[in-house]
Amino acid sequence: GNLHTLALGIPGGAFQEKVPVTAEIASYINGALKVFAKEYPGGKVSFVDFPIPYQNGDEKWSDDGIHLTEVGYEALAKELAPRVKAILDKIDSE
């Protein structure tokens, strides 16, 4: 069928800064997702690194250091929209 998955990488965050092993785990998982997407038959899985780096005090990140703010989610949508459109265009052309 015309199904396609867009896998979004695990973002950084305040917790990963406080507990570095969690950053290592996230990096490992993101690497595995990249390989999975690259090797998935028919190119039906795409991987995207999380496009908004965590920065303490950044208006895109909430005070908990884990979640995005409304501004952050808007920025995420603007980053992902062209990638989603490209996938949909590819599906339409199949």
Side-chain angles (χ1 to χ4, degrees):
N2 285 336
L3 298 177
H4 193 103
T5 299
L6 178 63
L8 183 60
I10 299 170
F15 187 73
Q16 290 181 23
E17 289 182 356
K18 291 177 186 172
V19 185
V21 70
T22 61
E24 293 171 20
I25 293 167
S27 178
Y28 174 82
I29 292 169
N30 286 341
L33 284 170
K34 283 180 190 178
V35 170
F36 175 78
K38 184 176 182 180
E39 294 178 355
Y40 195 85
K44 297 286 185 175
V45 177
S46 299
F47 176 82
V48 176
D49 283 310
F50 197 84
I52 302 171
Y54 172 73
Q55 294 178 359
N56 187 24
D58 184 333
E59 70 175 348
K60 294 180 185 94
W61 291 92
S62 66
D63 291 338
D64 69 8
I66 298 171
H67 299 96
L68 295 173
T69 62
E70 185 175 340
V71 171
Y73 283 114
E74 287 176 10
L76 180 62
K78 287 179 184 176
E79 288 286 335
L80 295 181
R83 296 165 194 252
V84 171
K85 183 176 182 327
I87 291 168
L88 294 173
D89 289 346
K90 182 180 175 187
I91 289 171
D92 284 345
S93 69
E94 293 177 350

